[in-house]
Amino acid sequence: MHSTPSASGPAISLENLSRHYGAIKAVDNVSLEIAAGSFVALVGLSGSGKSTLLKMINRLVDPTAGEVSIAGENIEATDSHILRRRIGYVFQNIGLFPHMTISRNIAIGLELAGEKDGRQERVAELLELVELPQDMASRMPPQLSGGQQQRVGVARALATRPGLMLMDEPFGALDPVTRDSLAGQYKALHEKLGLTTIIVTHDMAEALYLADRILVMEDGQIKADATPAELLSGKVGGEAEALVAIPRAQAAHLIALSKKA
Ligand code: ADP
Ligand code: MG
């Protein structure tokens, strides 16, 4: 059995990156350096350009201007099959193939890459990694809960041992309890595997809890770039402060209620 390497996720560089759709500037001239091993949250209102930015990193969307480098290599110059193996992608609607077993869903990236040896062992290892029982391997996706399905989504994304994980509202469709526990477990995985992770979320509380760096997007641009501590200190201002104000007010409300009880 392969042991999981203590991989070090790559650094990422975006240079004057844009994606315009006619007059709509989905992403507008974004330049950004992301350090190897970071956990970055991309936060912003619906339509601010988060998904488009993420999809330009794994070439699901082509930029209209600018470039992306991963570990110093321009992604345009990288074979797209190799690129996909190096990048795990998890999105909200999970996208498991309903007519395939969990095992095959997890191994699909390995199958597509023509990797024949040790697939079963790798599936067993991944199930353990995402804390699912081994007997799930032979089940079909509709027999799993939403949280279990999303664990399978994470396992599938990790199958080819990527150093970079791109996650687009990965826990957004789950109930709050499942969501919190899955987010916490993913954070531990990020650290254990030494990944670089970029997570899109519209939930500032989740971003504050998970990430070591938070980027706030608005109208295709990054309007704030701060640590959770900086955001919580209230010094950042603008749209970022409006987003932080929501979990802050909820926390204050709960504390006030608990004092009355
Ligand atoms: P977010 O993920 O922050 O909600 P998106 O990146 O999905 O935002 O979208 C940013 C903007 O780009 C939105 O105005 C959206 O309507 C527009 N957009 C995204 N994809 C397309 C597309 N394929 N064609 C036209 N407009 C698009
Ligand atoms: Mg989106």
Side-chain angles (χ1 to χ4, degrees):
M1 191 187 279
H2 303 276
S3 64
T4 303
S6 53
S8 190
I12 299 164
S13 168
L14 312 183
E15 218 179 308
N16 302 113
L17 195 64
S18 292
R19 172 75 215 201
H20 295 178
Y21 293 101
I24 299 169
K25 295 175 175 176
V27 172
D28 190 23
N29 200 28
V30 168
S31 294
L32 193 64
E33 299 293 330
I34 293 174
S38 324
F39 200 136
V40 175
L42 203 51
V43 187
L45 301 180
S46 185
S48 57
K50 307 179 298 294
S51 297
T52 305
L53 183 65
L54 206 67
K55 288 179 188 163
M56 285 195 280
I57 300 173
N58 63 4
R59 286 179 65 181
L60 286 176
V61 168
D62 286 325
T64 43
E67 50 194 59
V68 177
S69 303
I70 299 180
E73 197 180 327
N74 188 325
I75 61 170
E76 295 279 341
T78 311
D79 179 84
S80 60
H81 297 288
I82 293 174
L83 195 72
R84 298 248 154 82
R85 291 180 59 100
R86 289 183 188 161
I87 306 177
Y89 183 48
V90 182
F91 42 97
Q92 180 168 342
N93 295 323
I94 308 168
L96 298 182
F97 299 106
H99 56 287
M100 287 184 194
T101 61
I102 295 308
S103 171
R104 188 147 180 237
N105 265 286
I106 291 175
I108 194 77
L110 302 171
E111 193 176 322
L112 293 175
E115 214 173 294
K116 293 192 180 70
D117 296 335
R119 266 194 230 154
Q120 283 323 101
E121 289 84 351
R122 182 65 182 146
V123 167
E125 195 181 44
L126 287 158
L127 284 171
E128 196 180 319
L129 204 60
V130 299
E131 300 181 27
L132 282 174
Q134 294 295 328
D135 64 8
M136 291 262 163
S138 57
R139 294 213 215 156
M140 305 304 277
Q143 300 172 310
L144 271 57
S145 71
Q148 290 169 332
Q149 289 189 35
Q150 199 53 311
R151 283 176 201 273
V152 174
V154 172
R156 179 177 61 184
L158 289 169
T160 57
R161 296 189 169 79
L164 171 62
M165 285 286 273
L166 302 179
M167 308 179 93
D168 197 344
E169 313 248 8
F171 313 125
L174 304 174
D175 67 81
V177 174
T178 305
R179 180 185 179 135
D180 255 26
S181 90
L182 211 49
Q185 285 168 355
Y186 179 76
K187 188 179 164 83
L189 266 184
H190 162 92
E191 271 150 30
K192 178 175 167 188
L193 301 178
L195 302 168
T196 300
T197 300
I198 307 177
I199 188 169
V200 165
T201 172
H202 56 250
D203 182 349
M204 181 56 99
E206 186 170 82
L208 288 166
Y209 165 61
L210 284 176
D212 43 54
R213 181 177 178 192
I214 298 175
L215 305 171
V216 179
M217 272 194 97
E218 197 184 337
D219 298 332
Q221 297 183 336
I222 291 175
K223 292 290 172 69
D225 177 353
T227 64
E230 285 165 344
L231 278 170
L232 286 170
S233 76
K235 286 181 208 140
V236 177
E239 164 104 356
E241 181 50 34
L243 291 169
V244 174
I246 299 164
R248 202 200 298 285
Q250 284 172 338
H253 187 59
L254 287 179
I255 290 165
L257 279 174
S258 70
K259 281 184 181 150
K260 272 190 222 159

